Amino acid sequence: MAGALTDLLGEVLVAADGEEVAVSALAARGVSLLKLWNKYRVSNIPSLIFIDASTGKVVCRNGLLVIRDDPEGLEFPWGPKPFSEVVAGPLLRNNGQTLDSSALEGSHIGVYFSAHWCPPCRSLTRVLVESYRKIKEAGQKFEILFVSADRSEDSFNQYFSEMPWVAVPYSDEARRSRLNRLYGIQGIPTLIVLDSKGDVITRQGRVEVLNDIECREFPWHPKPVLELTDSNAVQLNEGPCLVLFVDSEDDGESEAAKQLIQPIAEKIIAKYKAKDEEAPLLFFVAGEDDMTDSLRDYTNLPEAAPLLTILDMSARAKYVMDVEEITPEIVEAFVSDFLADKLKPEPI
């Protein structure tokens, strides 16, 4: 094996012919399995991810659906297909009319994975209906595609009756499953926003909709540095996050902190994007509010501000740099040391 996966695992051989795999070699080489969780953004178990061993790139995130839908391996190696190919076929409107999926071409698309039985889904749908209306009234070419996770067709019909957009027919379970596989859906509600070519703009459409009620920033291209809020705090569970805590009583403090971190975040994001990989860190600035206080309490952080941290919730680990002044050089060295495994974690 070569490439990124080898860098992560060392020279661990995985046999396809049933030969025993020396998993103990991982521990012997001091490789943390949690690095695999973070690299491939695993947020729940069981998860099965198929990887190209020569590059370490993800072939398919939702392997459990693959082996359910294709037990004979007829579609092997299960690589990603274009959205237009996966979605191809008839779509529904809630008045019973049908249209071909080709009608989506040239529009930004929100692929909405949701279900009536899920309370957060119903809450998001109410907000999303208004966002959809505002975007359409602004003259933007935008459509939403509902991919149901309902447990019956009656539930689907009841839920879909509230939606002004289109849906994959509930009876087309194979196509719904392929869309779940394409985007590696691990939970609902999930809103993935695509550009007019079918490429992903953001997987965090839910957060963007809730943070931008007036839809002024549509189509919600990702920001290198986010201000930590109640609605985007869920992203702290998706992998290691750099969080710079500041004193928000100073109105300019949060913006200055963002400007300090942003060049470093952009550099990291660009480096991994060039390798067609997700960045290993998310970047946040946190002010002073109830949510931030709860986060400090949960992670047992000191009350200092500014306070530079990296929080890894899945590993229940934190890395803390408590200094009087945070400079770009300090942030860059802190990030570099973390990525090089030079920092000693403290337990959360």
Side-chain angles (χ1 to χ4, degrees), residues 7 57 263-280 283 332 335-336 339-340:
D7 293 341
K57 292 182 180 179
I264 299 160
E266 289 175 340
K267 181 178 177 180
I268 294 292
I269 292 167
K271 175 182 176 181
Y272 283 84
K273 185 176 181 180
K275 298 190 290 185
D276 198 25
E277 296 180 10
E278 293 187 54
F283 296 83
E332 189 153 19
V335 170
S336 296
L339 295 178

Side-chain angles (χ1 to χ4, degrees), residues 107-108 134-143 215 218-219:
S107 296
H108 286 83
K134 290 173 183 176
I135 293 167
K136 300 284 275 189
E137 287 178 354
Q140 299 271 14
K141 295 190 71 176
F142 180 54
E143 193 52 79
C215 306
F218 176 82

Side-chain angles (χ1 to χ4, degrees), residues 115-322:
H116 187 263
W117 54 262
C118 164
C121 294
R122 296 198 301 273
S123 297
L124 179 60
T125 296
R126 288 191 287 271
V127 177
L128 191 54
V129 167
E130 289 303 308
S131 298
Y132 178 80
R133 178 182 60 78
K134 290 173 183 176
I135 293 167
K136 300 284 275 189
E137 287 178 354
Q140 299 271 14
K141 295 190 71 176
F142 180 54
E143 193 52 79
I144 293 177
L145 175 68
F146 173 40
V147 184
S148 174
D150 286 296
R151 293 166 177 162
S152 71
E153 190 154 12
D154 286 343
S155 294
F156 164 79
N157 289 333
Q158 179 183 351
Y159 194 29
F160 186 40
S161 69
E162 306 168 12
M163 301 177 182
W165 43 74
V166 300
V168 176
Y170 185 79
S171 59
D172 196 343
E173 184 177 357
R175 192 159 32 138
R176 290 191 288 122
S177 182
R178 286 196 297 270
L179 285 161
N180 274 272
R181 284 163 45 188
L182 179 63
Y183 297 114
I185 302 303
Q186 297 188 21
I188 55 173
T190 294
L191 177 66
I192 294 177
V193 182
L194 311 179
D195 65 18
S196 58
K197 297 179 181 178
D199 296 326
V200 173
I201 293 176
T202 179
R203 299 178 60 89
Q204 301 298 333
R206 174 190 184 185
V207 171
E208 298 293 351
V209 165
L210 295 176
N211 279 346
D212 183 25
I213 297 298
E214 297 302 319
C215 306
R216 293 191 177 98
E217 298 182 7
F218 176 82
W220 303 303
H221 289 280
K223 300 181 183 68
V225 182
L226 298 174
E227 187 165 349
L228 192 62
T229 64
D230 287 333
S231 59
N232 66 25
V234 66
Q235 292 178 257
L236 293 173
N237 295 312
E238 294 185 2
C241 300
L242 182 142
V243 185
L244 175 54
F245 293 87
V246 298
D247 180 0
S248 61
E249 291 181 1
D250 182 345
D251 291 339
E253 190 74 17
S254 290
E255 188 57 37
K258 286 183 188 176
Q259 294 302 317
L260 184 151
I261 295 173
Q262 183 153 326
I264 299 160
E266 289 175 340
K267 181 178 177 180
I268 294 292
I269 292 167
K271 175 182 176 181
Y272 283 84
K273 185 176 181 180
K275 298 190 290 185
D276 198 25
E277 296 180 10
E278 293 187 54
L281 274 174
L282 299 176
F283 296 83
F284 292 91
V285 168
E288 291 185 349
D289 53 32
D290 290 342
M291 189 276 296
T292 300
D293 289 343
S294 296
L295 178 61
R296 283 185 185 266
D297 290 343
Y298 177 74
T299 55
N300 196 26
L301 289 171
E303 292 298 321
L307 182 68
L308 183 62
T309 68
I310 292 175
L311 304 178
D312 188 345
M313 297 301 193
S314 63
R316 298 188 62 82
K318 64 185 178 185
Y319 308 81
V320 182
M321 179 165 285
D322 186 0

